[in-house]
Amino acid sequence: MTERDTAEEPFDRDRQARLAAEFAALHRRGDPLLLPNAWDVASAAVIARAGARAIATTSAGVAWSLGVPDAADLGAGRVAAVVRGIAGAVPVPVSADVEAGYGPAPDDVAATVAAVVRAGAVGVNLEDRSGRADTPLFEPEEQAGRLAAARAAADRLGVPVWINARTDVFLTGAPVREGVRESLRRAAVYAEAGADSLFVPGLTNPEAIAELAAGPLPVAVMVWAGAPPVAELAAAGAVRVSLGAAIAQAAYALAARAAGELLTAGTYDGTASGGEADGLNELLARS
């Protein structure tokens, strides 16, 4: 999908701009945005009903729901279709995980950002993982060009999209000290290119987060069971705390456990928490 392919698709620019401003204002030191991640309309609807002030997609969860592995190059078209359904079903801002932009070139990133913004997104995650075995991360200057293309694509549509520049420095195995230094170096370049925050999945060390938070960009972190509580991450200076694929993983794990219980023990106790989704039909009917 190219930016030209999406040019005829109508979207409510004024609503998008309003939601984008609302989303940006939720990123605050001391009171971070708590951002659960959805993978389809139903998961987004129950997350919004739980009180989420915004919703992000999880690329892994979206991929699994479509029957493909994570990082299997979903493409802008499939991601935009999921975003369109979610954004149309919830009243809160929606941020789209567009992985590495579905292509290495700045034009690829621009087309992807245009597609998801037209679909209803007011934020994007754009990662610097290159997919190359020899150099797993884009060089900072390469990624800067891609981030600048994302910013220009959003600006052309008149939507001040929040660009969460993800660096996979820690996910590729960098030790904490080295990873902090490299992340700060990248943050300076990414900020100049138009990024709004630095996303550092794989890092939950409050001291390291505090050091990054004193740098050029506000810091977003991803959490999972066993990570420090929100209060500690907020005190360290994080402006966003997201769950990534954790909710989707837990949902699929429950499906596996409940099925296994039925097929082996012949009991159904694992489904006892299903009542928490009561009213889903009515909820979706109102979407």
Side-chain angles (χ1 to χ4, degrees):
M1 177 180 288
T2 67
E3 196 166 349
R4 185 165 49 252
D5 292 331
T6 66
E8 301 303 319
E9 297 175 12
F11 75 107
D12 188 339
R13 181 176 285 104
D14 291 341
R15 179 176 185 272
Q16 290 285 97
R18 175 180 58 78
L19 287 171
E22 180 181 326
F23 188 61
L26 292 172
H27 293 79
R28 296 190 291 264
R29 288 183 69 116
D31 181 23
L33 170 61
L34 307 182
L35 195 60
N37 300 76
W39 59 96
D40 62 10
V41 171
S43 60
V46 296
I47 287 169
R49 183 176 65 178
R53 296 178 293 175
I55 291 171
T57 63
T58 158
S59 61
V62 170
W64 298 332
S65 73
L66 296 176
V68 297
D70 186 21
D73 194 17
L74 283 169
R78 286 196 284 189
V79 170
V82 173
V83 169
R84 182 172 291 105
I86 290 173
V90 299
V92 298
V94 174
S95 184
D97 182 348
V98 298
E99 301 182 82
Y102 306 115
D107 284 350
D108 299 321
V109 174
T112 294
V113 170
V116 297
V117 171
R118 287 185 174 278
V122 298
V124 294
N125 281 10
L126 182 65
E127 64 193 52
D128 56 12
R129 187 183 292 267
S130 70
R132 302 184 298 235
D134 54 339
T135 52
L137 301 184
F138 287 107
E139 290 299 321
E141 292 72 20
E142 287 183 279
Q143 184 67 358
R146 290 157 38 81
L147 288 163
R151 173 58 65 208
D155 287 349
R156 282 192 292 272
L157 292 174
V159 180
V161 169
W162 184 280
I163 299 177
N164 195 33
R166 168 174 153 170
T167 182
D168 280 7
V169 165
F170 295 98
L171 292 183
T172 53
V176 171
R177 295 310 315 150
E178 178 185 326
V180 167
R181 286 194 297 271
E182 177 62 15
S183 296
L184 285 169
R185 182 172 80 96
R186 288 175 177 267
V189 178
Y190 296 173
E192 186 68 23
D196 294 293
S197 56
L198 182 73
F199 181 30
V200 285
L203 180 70
T204 58
N205 179 296
E207 292 76 19
I209 291 168
E211 189 171 348
L212 289 177
L217 284 172
V219 173
V221 298
M222 183 174 70
V223 293
W224 52 87
V230 167
E232 289 185 29
L233 300 172
V239 299
R240 181 196 295 195
V241 179
S242 62
L243 282 167
I247 299 176
Q249 287 172 318
Y252 290 122
L254 173 59
R257 289 195 303 273
E261 180 188 355
L262 171 65
L263 297 171
T264 57
T267 55
Y268 338 105
D269 294 340
T271 65
S273 62
E276 295 174 12
D278 282 351
L280 189 56
N281 286 337
E282 292 80 2
L283 181 63
L284 293 176
R286 295 195 299 269
S287 298

